[in-house]
Amino acid sequence: MSLDTDSARNAIAAQGWSRRRCSDGLTRTKLPPGAASAFLLNAASEEAKAAIHAMQSLLADAQVAVLKSQLGFSSPLPTTNISPNESPTLDLSMGASRRLVG
C-alpha cells in the first residue's frame, strides 16, 4: 500500500471505503479486516525477505573470509565471531536490530 496521495485517494474511493479528517489535519481510512490482514502479511513478508538477505550476506562474507585465510590471502573483509563449526542464528525478536547471535 505504498501509494502516493492521489493513488491512495483513488484506491479508497474505488473500494468504497470511508475517509475521515482527523484532528491533526490528516485524512485517514480504517481498513477492513481483509485489507488490513493483507497489508500486515505483506509487511511481514518484506521483513522476512530483508532478514534472509542480511543473513545470506553475512554468511557469504564469513565464508569468503574463511576461504581467504585458508588459502593464505589477507582478508579486507570484517571478521565475524562465527567459527566454521557453529550455526549462527538471527535474532528477530521485537525491537532487536538484525544481528548474528553465536
Side-chain angles (χ1 to χ4, degrees):
M1 297 191 176
S2 316
L3 303 173
D4 60 73
T5 305
D6 291 331
S7 298
R9 187 179 305 112
N10 292 336
I12 290 167
Q15 293 294 328
W17 299 337
S18 64
R19 298 184 304 155
R20 89 172 38 161
R21 185 169 304 273
C22 296
S23 60
D24 61 3
L26 297 176
T27 302
R28 295 190 172 89
T29 297
K30 183 177 180 181
L31 296 176
S37 294
F39 175 79
L40 291 174
L41 288 172
N42 185 48
S45 174
E46 292 301 317
E47 272 297 308
K49 287 176 187 175
I52 289 169
H53 179 71
M55 177 63 97
Q56 288 172 335
S57 179
L58 288 171
L59 290 175
D61 289 349
Q63 289 173 336
V64 168
V66 168
L67 289 173
K68 282 188 172 188
S69 68
Q70 290 174 347
L71 295 173
F73 294 102
S74 62
S75 176
L77 295 173
T79 58
T80 62
N81 295 330
I82 305 169
S83 74
N85 299 327
E86 287 183 288
S87 296
T89 58
L90 189 61
D91 183 356
L92 293 177
S93 58
M94 293 298 287
S97 60
R98 292 186 187 105
R99 63 181 178 269
L100 285 175
V101 178

